[in-house]
Every structure is written in structure tokens, then in C-alpha cells.
Amino acid sequence: MKNSVRLWRPVLGAQRRAFSSSARRLDNYAFIGLGQMGYQMARNLQAKLPPSDIIRVFDINKAAAEKLVQAMKTQQVGGAAVQVARDAGDAARDADTVITCLPEPKHVKAAYEGILSAYDALQNGDTRPQPRLFIDCSTIDPTSSRNVANAVSTALPDGRGSFVDAPMSGGVVGATAGTLTFMLGAPQSLLGRIEPILLRMGKRVLHCGPQGAGLSAKLANNYLLAIENIATAEAMNLGVKWGLDPKVLASVINVSTGKCWPSEVNNPVPGVVETAPASRDYAGGFGIGLMRKDLRLAMLAAREAGAELPLAEKASEVYETAEAEERCKGRDFSVVYRWLGGKK
Ligand code: NAD
């Protein structure tokens, strides 16, 4: 129902539209999942869309949507008109492009059930000028993602809807600055349509292959990161216990073969890298809970592919037991160094 949504159009955006001579048609967007990442991504998308477009936002946490609309109101520049939707189906019903950014597979499944049931109700009345595009930026496992893709193509047959996966890296800092990197799993034919949308929220789109491939690449990378982080914490702890100065040790590793992102950028020893979370009591950064989740997803996907991950069980145990301790919970995943009993 149209009156179920509230419309806010920025004043400057409306002015821009009045002076626009372009006959560009209106594009409708839905953005579902306004958490730490989605909130910032939706804000960037809205700000960079022309005022002729509409973006409808939804989160099961109503306060998140309200807060976002307030933030958009206070922005200096215009952007697309914003509507707060009643539920996922309501957000997506009129959308050409639906973007989802949700925590886990069960949330993605639930949101798409809501979205697709809204299209069921339209039946033959679903006559969009272009096929609907669904971009899921959540980090989930490739099989769950493929199941949702199949549900979309069953509900919207004959190419009337395509679901693609675009998990991202860059964290909340990258989402806020609009500098995310997206790992895209999509047919080549859709790249021209997807890239400009993602580049409003990020600076790089890496096309990894067909649907599901973005998630495979993301999980393979995060598996490697999970292991490197623990190994760096162990090696730094070992060196410090042997009496080495941690800054000296890091400088040796970082010009040697052990060099990796955790040793160079996100060093787990407080004070070694001033800008790393370790130097601010492990606040911010990539949460240990997210690392644990991504590792479990990688293990699930590896089992399905028949790929051996001999280090995975131990690594998973490390993250789980560390996260269960109050001094580590909710902190950057490099807090594993503290859990190991590493000296400051
Ligand atoms: P978050 O928990 O902060 O936000 C998720 C949001 O989804 C919440 O606001 C929640 O209320 C909402 N939600 C849950 N179920 C919903 C539903 N059915 N319909 C509508 N809204 C629903 O999570 P986040 O940190 O924003 O992460 C989102 C995704 O991005 C995750 O899959 C995460 O792994 C991935 N990711 C996160 C980071 C990061 O640094 N936070 C980095 C890269 C990737």
C-alpha cells in the first residue's frame, strides 16, 4: 500500500531535478539490512543516485531505518528520494534493483521469502521495464546463495529476475568512505548493469565468475586470513617470549617470507602498528565473531567441495574459545594475541 511508506526528498535533490534536462527514466531501489555495513552503504548509494530515483529501505530493527532517513535528511547534498518500507516485500515490490546486506544464511533466506511472496501477489501484473536485479552483499555460503538464486529464477521465470552475490571487503571504514571492494558472482551479461551500482558504494568490483563465485573467493580469502592471523599472533608471542623487541621482530617479518596483512597492517601486538586495533585495546576492526562465522562458512563450503582443510578445526576452536572470554569478546580478531597470553 502506497500510504504505508513515508517519503522524504532532499530539498537540494529536488532543485537538481528541476534543472535537469535529462529524460532519464526513474529507477527504483530497495535496500534491506541496515546494520553496520548496510547503513553506510545505503547512505552512499542514496547520496550518489540522481534525485529522480527512489530508494526504499527496510530493516527488522525499525530504529535503524528511522536513523538512516534522519541522517540522509541532514546531508548537505541531495540524492535519491527515500522511503521507509513496512517489510522486505514492501521494499522490493516496485524495485528494479534490490540490495541485501544481512548477517547469515537464515536471514538472507527469510528476507527473500518475504520479497518473493510480494511478487507472487503481483502475478501477471509484474511488468517491469527491465528484469529485476537482486544483489546480495551478505557473507554466506555459496550453496545457500545458489538456493536463493534458484528461488528467484523460479519465482521470476524467463529472465525476469537475476540474483547475484557480491560479498565485500573493506569493513565499516570502507563502507563509510565508499571504498569497499566487491567480489562479484554474476553472469558476464549483467556486469554493465551491476558495476555502476556497486561503484556507488565501493571503489573496486572483482568479477570472480558465475553466481556463487564471489562468495567462494571471499571465503577462500577469509580462510587464509583466519590462519595468518593466528600464526602471526603465535610467531609474535614466540619472539617476545624469546626476548625480541616486537617492533624489531615485525620489521624483520615484514621484509621476509612471513610477511602478511596481519603482520604488516593489523599486527596483533599493541604498539607495533599505531593504527592497528591492537594499539587501541583491540577496538573496531574486524570482529572476532565475524571471523569465526566466516571460518565456519568456509569449512561448510569446503566439505561440500571435498576440499581438505586440516588447520580449520583448530583455528575455529581458537576463535570460539577466545570469543567466549570477556577480555576478547566483541574485539578485533587480532585479540587472539591477548588470548594466547601475549605481553603488551
Ligand atoms: P549487522 O549485524 O551489523 O547488520 C545486519 C542487519 O540486518 C541488522 O540491522 C539486522 O537488524 C538486519 N536484519 C536481520 N535480518 C533481517 C531481515 N530478515 N530483514 C531485514 N533486516 C534484517 O551486520 P553487518 O556487520 O552489517 O554485516 C552484514 C554482512 O556483511 C554480514 O554477512 C557480514 O559477514 C558481512 N561483512 C561485514 C563486515 C564488517 O566489518 N562488519 C565486513 C565484510 C563483510
Side-chain angles (χ1 to χ4, degrees):
M1 268 170 28
K2 285 275 180 231
N3 60 6
S4 67
V5 294
R6 274 166 296 132
L7 179 72
W8 172 79
R9 191 182 288 282
V11 175
L12 288 178
Q15 283 171 351
R16 270 214 318 245
R17 189 166 63 146
F19 292 115
S20 168
S21 59
S22 144
R24 184 181 170 279
R25 68 167 202 87
L26 172 140
D27 272 332
N28 276 311
Y29 292 80
F31 204 112
I32 298 168
L34 307 168
Q36 295 212 72
M37 298 293 285
Y39 180 96
Q40 300 298 344
M41 293 160 71
R43 195 183 49 74
N44 275 316
L45 179 65
Q46 184 268 342
K48 293 175 194 170
L49 284 172
S52 51
D53 290 349
I54 295 174
I55 177 166
R56 301 173 82 171
V57 296
F58 173 69
D59 193 295
I60 47 169
N61 170 10
K62 283 202 179 89
E66 297 290 343
K67 190 174 153 216
L68 179 61
V69 171
Q70 281 307 317
M72 288 169 173
K73 270 187 194 174
T74 53
Q75 271 175 184
Q76 289 302 302
V77 288
V82 188
Q83 300 175 342
V84 178
R86 193 178 60 232
D87 54 39
D90 187 37
R93 188 174 299 112
D94 293 328
D96 307 288
T97 304
V98 176
I99 300 167
T100 44
C101 186
L102 299 160
E104 299 195 30
K106 65 179 179 200
H107 305 107
V108 176
K109 192 166 169 273
Y112 278 89
E113 276 168 8
I115 292 168
L116 297 180
S117 63
Y119 300 149
D120 278 352
L122 292 174
Q123 292 172 345
N124 294 333
D126 185 19
T127 50
R128 304 300 305 164
Q130 60 179 334
R132 296 188 197 255
L133 173 63
F134 302 86
I135 306 176
D136 183 34
C137 297
S138 322
T139 305
I140 60 171
D141 61 287
T143 300
S144 297
S145 183
R146 269 181 216 115
N147 290 342
V148 177
N150 289 339
V152 167
S153 49
T154 304
L156 296 169
D158 309 321
R160 286 192 291 125
S162 298
F163 174 94
V164 304
D165 53 302
M168 62 241 162
S169 67
V172 179
V173 172
T176 307
T179 57
L180 292 169
T181 294
F182 292 95
M183 286 144 269
L184 178 63
Q188 188 79 31
S189 57
L190 285 178
L191 286 193
R193 187 169 162 198
I194 299 167
E195 266 181 347
I197 298 169
L198 293 180
L199 290 175
R200 290 189 166 100
M201 302 177 284
K203 64 169 189 214
R204 203 179 295 135
V205 178
L206 304 173
H207 185 221
C208 302
Q211 198 280 317
L215 283 163
S216 298
K218 163 89 185 171
L219 293 182
N221 178 72
N222 280 23
Y223 175 68
L224 178 58
L225 177 63
I227 303 296
E228 283 177 339
N229 177 58
I230 296 175
T232 304
E234 287 174 335
M236 291 300 297
N237 185 41
L238 180 64
V240 171
K241 290 253 160 34
W242 279 337
L244 286 168
D245 177 323
K247 281 194 178 175
V248 170
L249 176 57
S251 68
V252 170
I253 291 173
N254 289 333
V255 292
S256 307
T257 45
K259 175 176 152 177
C260 56
W261 187 81
S263 71
E264 195 175 31
V265 180
N266 209 58
N267 196 289
V269 183
V272 169
V273 176
E274 287 307 324
T275 50
S279 298
R280 44 171 200 271
D281 200 21
Y282 301 96
F286 185 50
I288 188 166
L290 284 178
M291 184 76 264
R292 177 187 45 75
K293 181 197 93 163
D294 288 3
L295 182 52
R296 300 298 318 179
L297 291 172
M299 290 163 74
L300 171 70
R303 260 197 306 280
E304 287 171 357
E308 291 295 333
L309 296 180
L311 301 182
E313 277 301 340
K314 189 67 204 174
S316 180
E317 188 190 314
V318 167
Y319 287 114
E320 268 168 38
T321 50
E323 196 193 1
E325 290 191 18
E326 208 46 51
R327 63 191 178 128
C328 302
K329 197 177 173 63
R331 296 181 190 274
D332 180 73
F333 74 134
S334 62
V335 76
V336 160
Y337 177 78
R338 173 182 280 171
W339 177 78
L340 282 173
K343 274 202 221 147
K344 286 190 189 170

